[in-house]
């Protein structure tokens, strides 16, 4: 997987779609043309999926947390949960969350996607690649079941890499890319893709966090997300929307002193809340900022 430093920022589906998602979980990611095992029954598949999720360990609630996307460093004293980029090694002695850009192409990876999977990059009616203007990243095409399955295969291998390194969970970013897709993608596409990658994460023994996108409501948890990672929910008065779905299993990152102070006062005794500099730079860097409730 290609990774660089980033700047942070349904209800019931048709039976056929549900069966398809579960089947993908069981057979895993395979190259095109490879033989695929077939489950004996839908109930057997569901049992296997439930057993896999039961083995997943969630981040400890209201634990001291550090968000190290801009570079790994020794966590501050008392930190029990750490998020790092998938290219980094997990922090020793902590619960580790692996950051993966699962819905967009990471900066620097454009040529890899265009060479290996051009059909999985979103294009407009003119045939031009759709770029997320906020982050200047190509958006992945999750508009059809076939494309979602192929993409889940790619992302699933990244998840496997996280598990192999020793991470306990994954944080797939840009779940809300459909809001920046020139209306070519829908929320239902994001939910459907989330079901596939959540099952894939659980298969690898990893918990999976919903990154932002409070608009999903309960659909995120139904899709398979185990906890939430929210940037600036305190600033926008959205933390309560996450706790209604995930209880205390919510991690909050604020980027201003005012919002951090406000969020600590309201949720510091219940949730993991930290303040980081916008570039999430490593300790020792000029702009480094870290505070925890």
């Amino acid at each position: 997987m290609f990774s660089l430093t980033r700047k942070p920022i349904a209800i019931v589906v048709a039976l056929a779609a549900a069966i398809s998602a579960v089947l993908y979980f069981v057979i895993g990611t395979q190259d095109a043309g490879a033989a695929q095992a077939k489950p004996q029954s839908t109930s057997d598949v569901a049992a296997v999926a439930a057993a896999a999720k039961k083995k997943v360990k969630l981040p400890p609630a209201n634990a001291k947390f550090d968000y190290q996307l801009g570079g790994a460093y020794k966590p501050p004293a008392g930190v029990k949960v750490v998020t790092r980029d998938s290219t980094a090694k997990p922090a020793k002695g902590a619960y580790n969350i692996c950051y993966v850009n699962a819905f967009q192409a990471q900066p620097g990876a454009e040529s890899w996607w265009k060479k290996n999977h051009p059909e999985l990059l979103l294009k407009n009616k003119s045939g031009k690649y759709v770029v997320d203007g906020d982050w200047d990243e190509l958006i992945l095409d999750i508009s059809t079941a076939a494309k979602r399955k192929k993409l889940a295969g790619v992302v699933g291998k990244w998840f496997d890499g996280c598990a192999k390194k020793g991470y306990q969970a994954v944080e797939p970013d840009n779940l809300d890319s459909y809001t920046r897709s020139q209306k070519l993608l829908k929320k239902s596409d994001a939910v459907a893709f989330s079901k596939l990658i959540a099952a894939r994460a659980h298969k690898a023994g990893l918990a999976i966090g919903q990154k932002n996108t409070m608009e999903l409501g309960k659909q995120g948890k139904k899709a398979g997300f185990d906890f939430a990672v929210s940037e600036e929910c305190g600033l926008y008065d959205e933390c309560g929307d996450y706790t209604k779905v995930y209880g205390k299993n919510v991690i909050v990152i604020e980027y201003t002193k005012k919002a951090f102070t406000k969020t600590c006062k309201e949720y510091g005794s219940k949730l993991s809340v930290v303040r980081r500099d916008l570039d999430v730079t490593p300790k020792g860097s000029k702009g480094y900022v870290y505070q925890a409730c």
Side-chain angles (χ1 to χ4, degrees), residues 21 55 119 218:
K55 296 179 181 179
E119 78 286 0
K218 295 181 179 180

Side-chain angles (χ1 to χ4, degrees), residues 99-222:
Y99 171 92
V100 175
N101 194 353
F103 289 76
Q104 298 184 176
Q106 197 76 342
E110 297 90 349
S111 60
W112 182 87
W113 280 101
K114 291 177 181 179
K115 178 181 178 180
N116 295 281
H117 298 288
E119 78 286 0
L120 299 181
L121 294 173
L122 187 65
K123 298 177 183 178
N124 59 26
K125 294 181 179 180
S126 300
K128 295 183 178 180
Y129 293 115
V130 177
V131 178
D132 174 359
D134 290 345
W135 304 113
D136 194 28
E137 296 176 356
L138 298 176
I139 296 178
L140 304 183
D141 190 349
I142 56 172
S143 62
T144 69
K147 290 183 178 182
R148 289 192 290 268
K149 183 175 180 179
K150 288 184 179 180
L151 282 168
V154 175
V155 174
K157 291 180 180 178
W158 298 343
F159 287 178
D160 289 342
C162 292
K164 187 175 181 180
K165 285 185 175 182
Y167 283 93
Q168 289 81 38
V170 287
E171 176 191 318
D173 201 9
N174 288 307
L175 171 61
D176 61 348
S177 63
Y178 67 91
T179 65
R180 304 181 294 276
S181 68
Q182 300 179 13
K183 297 183 178 181
L184 296 173
L185 300 176
K186 300 175 293 184
K187 181 170 70 173
S188 58
D189 295 325
V191 172
F193 185 56
S194 294
K195 288 183 179 181
L196 294 182
I197 61 174
R200 191 66 179 79
H202 293 152
K203 182 176 184 293
L206 300 166
I208 183 169
Q210 175 183 320
K211 180 68 172 288
N212 299 324
T213 326
M214 50 76 60
E215 296 83 1
L216 293 188
K218 295 181 179 180
Q219 292 183 73
K221 191 169 186 178
K222 288 182 179 180

